[in-house]
Amino acid sequence: MATLVYDCIAGIAKTIIDNRDFLTDLDREIGDADHGVNMARGFQAVLEKVPQDVPDIGAVLKKTGMTLLSTVGGASGPLYGTAYMEAGKVSMGKETLTPEDLRDMLDAAVKGVEKRGKAVQGEKTMLDALIPALEAYTAKLEAGASLLEMLDAACAAARDGVEYTKTIRATKGRASYLGDRSIGHQDPGATSALLTLEAIRDYCREA
Ligand code: ADP
Ligand code: MG
């Protein structure tokens, strides 16, 4: 993974922007119909503000997180902002990443979201995609799998996590106002987290 981190971020931005209406429609069911709009606005700003030629992965992720924090809004802005900034802290100064580095970054991002959102797994949030992805990635890493196997496992686990959000009641965020009526709907934030992981996987496959 010696290529510029900007290209990976641009891949994430593209998938989020391409899925703006899908994410917004999911949020219409159990929220206020703005998740896709919020995220697409944030990643449009990221594409414009984040420097394309900086090789320091941590610096680029920090700038990405700060930009998301100031442009996305809603609950997800501070949460995704924190996720990128925390991943940036543990990769500051690095120009290439090992699979272990990537695990540490995902772990830092998850811990940041947990702390900022005061949420745990099973509350119908982005954590229901991110935590299983981290666990699946780590299991493959420890089993000596290839990077793509680790990322495929992470994406599969995140996809299962998104499916799982359909079966549970929201206890955090706007969707929690619906109580049991939130059951049967897929969580928008878990879905954008899945899209993010798939974009990272696709970037690494092509890099
Ligand atoms: P808002 O709910 O303020 O309109 P968004 O629609 O952009 O913000 O984002 C909603 C998503 O944010 C939810 O689908 C959920 O995944 C995530 N979310 C909300 N609250 C929390 C929290 N406390 N912890 C983790 N994720 C959360
Ligand atoms: Mg919303």
Side-chain angles (χ1 to χ4, degrees):
M1 269 191 283
T3 34
L4 285 174
V5 62
Y6 181 89
D7 294 341
C8 181
I9 298 290
I12 297 171
K14 182 179 184 317
T15 193
I16 294 291
I17 292 167
D18 286 351
N19 284 281
R20 184 188 61 192
D21 293 348
F22 171 53
L23 293 171
T24 290
D25 288 345
L26 291 176
D27 195 33
R28 183 170 291 115
E29 300 289 330
I30 54 169
D32 56 352
D34 66 355
H35 186 58
V37 175
N38 288 345
M39 293 289 287
R41 182 178 56 241
F43 274 99
Q44 192 56 49
V46 165
L47 287 174
E48 288 157 19
K49 288 188 183 159
V50 171
Q52 297 195 26
D53 52 354
V54 172
D56 182 336
I57 292 164
V60 170
L61 291 177
K62 184 178 171 197
K63 179 75 179 165
T64 300
M66 284 165 53
T67 304
L68 294 176
L69 194 64
S70 63
T71 55
V72 173
S76 58
L79 293 168
Y80 273 114
T82 299
Y84 282 88
M85 285 193 290
E86 291 298 319
K89 271 189 207 163
V90 293
S91 54
M92 197 55 74
K94 290 186 196 286
E95 298 188 3
T96 58
L97 298 175
T98 64
E100 288 79 6
D101 290 333
L102 202 52
R103 190 262 324 273
D104 293 346
M105 291 160 72
L106 190 54
D107 185 58
V110 166
K111 290 202 170 85
V113 172
E114 285 173 332
K115 197 167 167 210
R116 181 106 198 196
K118 297 185 175 59
V120 296
Q121 197 171 2
E123 298 201 84
K124 201 180 180 96
T125 72
M126 58 181 76
L127 288 171
D128 293 318
L130 293 172
I131 292 173
L134 172 63
E135 288 173 353
Y137 183 97
T138 303
K140 285 285 181 192
L141 179 69
E142 286 169 0
S146 72
L147 177 64
L148 280 181
E149 285 170 333
M150 293 172 214
L151 289 168
D152 277 336
C155 290
R159 186 164 286 283
D160 289 346
V162 168
E163 288 301 311
Y164 166 65
T165 64
K166 293 179 186 171
T167 70
I168 57 175
R169 190 164 59 91
T171 49
K172 282 286 181 312
R174 232 172 249 284
S176 65
Y177 306 155
L178 292 180
D180 283 347
R181 280 186 294 130
S182 64
I183 298 172
H185 300 284
Q186 158 176 351
D187 181 61
T191 308
S192 57
L194 168 64
L195 291 170
T196 302
L197 293 165
E198 287 179 339
I200 295 169
R201 189 262 323 266
D202 293 347
Y203 168 77
C204 291
R205 185 184 279 150
E206 281 150 34

